[in-house]
Amino acid sequence: MRALVLRILWKKRGPNLKIYVHGHAKSLHKVLEAAGELTQSALDADVLHVINPDASAFDLIQNHPGKSVVAHFTANPVTFFEQNAGLYTAAEDWFCVVSSNEAKQALEALGLSRVWHIAPALNASDFKVIYPQTDKKLIGFYADQLEITQRGADVFEAIIHGLAKRVGPDAFELVMFGETSWIATRMANHGVNIVETTWFHDDMNIFLHTPRWDAGNPILQEIVAAKKKVVSTAVGQALDLLEPASLFRSVSEAIDILEGEIKNQSLDSTVEPQYQRLLQNYSLDTVSKSWKAFYSEISRMKNTVPEKRTSPASTLEA
């Protein structure tokens, strides 16, 4: 009876749902305004929009039974389901939104059916296009991304070591931003000059991006918005945003790409297509429309019988 009343109320209200956002939102509120009515009260909400669910999200869901839940992952969602499979069955209606097509395919492979891919929003005009006044290749990296081994610190070091041996340590410099002391010590052993900067987007002409999986950091989109060249592992949003020539799947392949850029400007043709893809798929207008379409769809689905779900844990353990 309660479920029937909820469906009648939902249908009467239509797609202008009341949405409660839990978690670090940053620019999300702006793009959700077109999707429904944002509320500061979880009790009054139709939907609990939970960003990167954690223990506090579990408490929120448990304390508000009968609410639909949108689990919005900006980072690797598979890790979440490996560690928190029980949370998946805590809500009556559960929907997943991920930031890359790779993540969507990974969740669907686990047997989840209500999964959407919506790119994160970025205003490209916030980033000026400024090129360093030098002929030397300045390879930038965001040190905070590399503190955790799983995000590619060892991959980064292996690439720089191999590149220095291939083209010589004087053919390029490293431009660092973030917590840099730990990596500076390692790079000194390879004879590579390091420049620390507070103007990260401006002071480099190549960005080396080495995570093993998508960590949800917006730095990749920001670099593309600044029209800088990128060399990245083929994971997550990099697969959606970058040209094939910018992607690598091994250390040796990354070294080859960087050598080609240093000697022959081989990445020149990648900059504009990547920038245009960013404007087309990551703009505030495009992402707002995507969220509006998503919430209209879950409003329609609310009027259907919720799917019977079991925890995907058995799939993960197989």
Side-chain angles (χ1 to χ4, degrees):
M1 182 66 182
R2 181 182 180 184
L4 177 61
V5 171
L6 284 173
R7 289 195 186 101
I8 292 172
L9 290 174
W10 189 289
K11 189 173 182 180
K12 186 175 181 180
R13 182 176 290 123
N16 191 30
L17 310 175
K18 288 188 176 181
I19 304 168
Y20 176 80
V21 179
H22 173 82
H24 181 59
K26 205 172 182 179
S27 62
L28 182 63
H29 284 83
K30 183 177 294 185
V31 294
L32 284 181
E33 287 175 352
E37 177 186 345
L38 302 185
T39 176
Q40 298 297 314
S41 171
L43 186 63
D44 293 338
D46 298 307
V47 180
L48 305 178
H49 187 119
V50 182
I51 303 170
N52 296 324
D54 55 13
S56 64
F58 184 82
D59 291 339
L60 176 72
I61 294 168
Q62 293 283 63
N63 293 332
H64 296 84
K67 305 288 186 182
S68 292
V69 174
V70 172
H72 180 190
F73 297 95
T74 63
N76 180 28
V78 175
T79 300
F80 164 80
F81 282 107
E82 289 175 340
Q83 299 173 353
N84 306 279
L87 182 56
Y88 176 64
T89 58
E92 178 183 332
D93 280 331
W94 181 280
F95 306 87
C96 291
V97 177
V98 294
S99 298
S100 70
N101 280 303
E102 181 187 53
K104 182 176 186 292
Q105 293 165 8
L107 291 189
E108 289 174 340
L110 296 179
L112 279 71
S113 59
R114 293 181 170 184
V115 185
W116 282 260
H117 164 225
I118 299 179
L122 184 81
N123 187 0
S125 63
D126 290 343
F127 301 91
K128 296 180 180 179
V129 180
I130 300 175
Y131 298 105
Q133 299 301 307
T134 177
D135 293 330
K136 180 171 284 192
K137 293 300 177 183
L138 304 178
I139 301 176
F141 66 97
Y142 186 47
D144 288 345
Q145 284 189 310
L146 304 176
E147 292 179 318
I148 302 175
T149 299
Q150 288 86 345
R151 294 186 184 179
D154 55 334
V155 177
F156 177 86
E157 183 178 8
I159 292 170
I160 296 302
H161 174 65
L163 185 63
K165 290 179 65 176
R166 182 86 62 86
V167 301
D170 296 330
F172 62 94
E173 292 182 341
L174 298 181
V175 179
M176 300 196 308
F177 177 79
E179 181 54 48
T180 59
S181 57
W182 66 274
I183 195 72
T185 302
R186 295 186 182 187
M187 291 300 103
N189 297 330
H190 305 310
V192 178
N193 188 43
I194 295 174
V195 179
E196 295 191 35
T197 180
T198 56
W199 301 96
F200 183 62
H201 302 79
D202 300 342
D203 293 342
M204 65 169 163
N205 40 40
I206 310 172
F207 177 51
L208 181 54
H209 189 237
T210 60
R212 284 188 168 86
W213 60 73
D214 199 336
N217 193 301
I219 189 67
L220 182 62
Q221 296 96 292
E222 294 174 3
I223 296 302
V224 172
K227 290 194 173 184
K228 300 302 173 69
K229 299 172 183 178
V230 180
V231 178
S232 174
T233 44
V235 297
Q237 293 178 52
L239 288 166
D240 298 329
L241 180 58
L242 302 180
E243 291 289 283
S246 298
L247 300 171
F248 68 86
R249 292 170 174 80
S250 67
V251 168
S252 60
E253 186 178 11
I255 294 170
D256 290 342
I257 294 172
L258 289 166
E259 180 185 17
E261 169 59 22
I262 290 172
K263 293 181 176 180
N264 304 309
Q265 307 287 323
S266 59
L267 293 176
D268 281 1
S269 63
T270 65
V271 175
E272 192 60 27
Q274 289 168 177
Y275 181 73
Q276 292 301 322
R277 195 170 294 123
L278 179 78
L279 295 181
Q280 180 178 350
N281 299 331
Y282 293 77
S283 71
L284 294 176
D285 182 59
T286 296
V287 176
S288 294
K289 290 178 180 177
S290 296
W291 279 114
K292 183 176 181 179
F294 166 76
Y295 269 103
S296 294
E297 176 66 7
I298 69 169
S299 176
R300 182 193 65 79
M301 293 179 69
K302 182 66 177 178
N303 296 316
T304 65
V305 177
E307 62 179 0
K308 295 293 184 182
R309 303 183 317 279
T310 57
S311 168
S314 58
T315 305
L316 292 165
E317 293 168 359

